Structure formats: C-alpha cells, structure tokens
C-alpha cells in the first residue's frame, strides 16, 4: 500500500513552539502521541520524523489494512519547508499526491477548518516552498483557521506571537479536531472528510 506523508508546517526551536504559525507542528505532535511514537532527527533528513501506521482503529493501529504514515516536522524555517518535504518524499518513496500539509490559515476564523486538494498558496510561505520543491501544488491541505490579527497588528507579529494563555485550552481542543480530520483524509478519503469537518 502507498505510504502517506503528513507534514506539520511551522518553525523549529522553542521561540516559535507555542505560536499560531506552529499549529501544524501541534497537530503532528498530537498524531504522534496517538500512535505512541516519538520524533527522531535522522541524519540528512532536514526534519524530525516519526513513523507509524493507520488503520480503521486510528493511528498506531496494526493489521492487514494498516497503511504506513510518516509524520514530518521540518527543521528548516517555514519559507524553506519544501526542502525537507521533498527530501522525505524521496527517501520514503512517497508521491506528492499522498502528502497532507497541515498549516495555519489567516483567512479562516479560529475554529474553522477546511480540507482541500491542491489550490494556490494564499501567500503562505510554507505552501509556496512545498510547491516549488515538489514541482506541484497537488497535495492535500488541512487549513487550520487562526483568524486575522485584531486592529492594525501586522500579520507577521500576530502569527509569531505566543498563543495567549487564556486560549491555549481552546487551541488544544481544535488541534485534536484537526488531527481527527487528517486521520479521516487517510482513512475515508477527501470527500467524506470534507463533509464531516469543513466549516
């Protein structure tokens, strides 16, 4: 069976760990926790990787219907994410059509989620880099809504500021829901997942 690559987009290092721009990393961490696997940093991979399988019973399942899943958190900065994704695709022999990118989305309110295949990058540097390095934009996206900054706060400051303490629990709940949606893409296909999760 074809393997899947689920890429959480974000920036490496503790400075960025709890920012809105790193919700992709948070979803990747949630999926790894469900599968009870840890991320490692293989030599030459340019990212942290965790390998597992997914079955009808979820991540970490075993059985004849198990599909291999590689979780990736690039160790490049956001605008170079594609280099890590292309490297992982080549190493694990995964076609871009079996890649799911999880990323923050300014144009969706917090609590909104959109699953899609292909499309533009909407000014998102991680998606732009993936498209450039993979030579195609035809990969799945899980667009995790973070909303627009309040007032006149620049978008860059907003996405790179730590998530306020009072919202962290809400983000944890939403992260779990986005992880459910990624699981649904892998197990049920895009249309069924969209019908359940798109808002």
């Amino acid at each position: 069976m074809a393997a899947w690559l689920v890429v959480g987009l974000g920036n490496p290092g503790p400075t960025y760990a709890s920012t809105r721009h790193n919700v992709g990393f948070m979803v990747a961490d949630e999926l790894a926790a469900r599968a009870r696997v840890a991320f490692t940093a293989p030599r030459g991979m340019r990212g942290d990787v965790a390998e597992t399988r997914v079955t009808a019973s979820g991540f970490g399942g075993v059985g004849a219907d198990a599909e291999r899943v590689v979780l990736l958190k690039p160790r490049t900065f956001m605008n170079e994410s594609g280099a890590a994704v292309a490297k992982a695709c080549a190493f694990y022999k995964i076609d871009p059509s079996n890649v799911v990118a999880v990323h923050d989305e300014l144009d969706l309110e917090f609590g909104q989620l959109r699953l899609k295949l292909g499309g533009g990058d909407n000014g998102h540097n991680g998606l732009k880099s993936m498209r450039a390095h993979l030579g195609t934009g035809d990969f799945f996206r899980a667009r995790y809504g973070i909303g627009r900054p309040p007032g006149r706060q620049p978008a860059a400051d907003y996405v790179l500021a730590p998530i306020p303490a009072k919202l962290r629990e809400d983000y944890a709940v939403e992260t779990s829901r986005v992880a459910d949606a990624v699981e649904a893409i892998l197990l049920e296909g895009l249309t069924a997942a969209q019908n359940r999760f798109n808002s």
Side-chain angles (χ1 to χ4, degrees), residues 1-2 4 9 23 26 37 72 79 92-93 97 118 120 127 130-131 136 147 185 195 199:
M1 280 184 167
W4 289 90
L9 291 178
V23 292
M26 295 171 197
V37 291
L72 172 70
N79 59 357
Y92 292 103
K93 299 181 173 58
S97 63
L127 296 176
M130 282 181 63
R131 177 193 292 277
T136 178
I185 291 175
N195 288 341
S199 53

Side-chain angles (χ1 to χ4, degrees), residues 7 12 28 33 39 51 58 61 63 82 86 91 98 108 112 127 129-130 141-142 146 150 152 158 162-163 167:
V7 184
F39 281 93
E51 291 183 64
F91 183 82
N98 266 32
L108 296 175
Q112 283 190 303
L127 296 176
S129 177
M130 282 181 63
R141 295 102 186 274
I146 60 166
R152 296 186 174 181
Y158 173 72
I163 294 165
L167 295 178

Side-chain angles (χ1 to χ4, degrees), residues 26-27 30 34 110 144 163 167-179:
M26 295 171 197
V27 172
E30 168 66 18
R34 291 180 183 189
F110 175 70
Y144 185 136
I163 294 165
L167 295 178
R168 284 193 196 144
E169 200 169 305
D170 294 341
Y171 268 85
V173 170
E174 185 63 7
T175 294
S176 181
R177 193 171 78 95
V178 177

Side-chain angles (χ1 to χ4, degrees), residues 106-119:
L106 285 163
D107 286 339
L108 296 175
E109 289 302 318
F110 175 70
Q112 283 190 303
L113 166 62
R114 296 268 165 80
L115 307 174
K116 61 184 285 200
L117 173 63

Side-chain angles (χ1 to χ4, degrees), residues 20-199:
R20 290 177 176 88
H21 216 24
N22 271 41
V23 292
F25 276 21
M26 295 171 197
V27 172
D29 285 337
E30 168 66 18
L31 292 171
R34 291 180 183 189
R36 297 184 176 84
V37 291
F39 281 93
T40 60
R43 249 177 96 181
M45 191 51 69
R46 304 197 73 178
D48 295 330
V49 172
E51 291 183 64
T52 184
R53 292 182 182 276
V54 67
T55 67
S57 59
F59 270 76
V62 292
D65 64 335
E67 291 193 68
R68 188 177 184 208
V69 182
V70 178
L71 304 171
L72 172 70
K73 297 190 295 182
R75 261 185 287 125
T76 55
F77 280 95
M78 184 69 90
N79 59 357
E80 278 298 316
S81 304
V85 176
K87 192 102 177 168
C89 282
F91 183 82
Y92 292 103
K93 299 181 173 58
I94 298 171
D95 191 81
S97 63
N98 266 32
V99 171
V100 183
V102 186
H103 64 91
D104 58 311
E105 181 60 72
L106 285 163
D107 286 339
L108 296 175
E109 289 302 318
F110 175 70
Q112 283 190 303
L113 166 62
R114 296 268 165 80
L115 307 174
K116 61 184 285 200
L117 173 63
D121 46 51
N122 211 17
H124 195 288
N125 288 331
L127 296 176
K128 202 178 290 182
S129 177
M130 282 181 63
R131 177 193 292 277
H133 283 271
L134 293 175
T136 178
D138 290 336
F139 48 84
F140 294 98
R141 295 102 186 274
R143 302 165 67 205
Y144 185 136
I146 60 166
R148 287 261 163 205
R152 296 186 174 181
Q153 185 183 17
D157 293 350
Y158 173 72
V159 300
L160 294 175
I163 294 165
K166 65 181 182 196
L167 295 178
R168 284 193 196 144
E169 200 169 305
D170 294 341
Y171 268 85
V173 170
E174 185 63 7
T175 294
S176 181
R177 193 171 78 95
V178 177
D180 290 343
V182 170
E183 206 168 282
I185 291 175
L186 273 49
L187 292 171
E188 302 166 30
L190 180 63
T191 304
Q194 285 174 325
N195 288 341
R196 272 177 63 197
F197 291 97
N198 275 15
S199 53

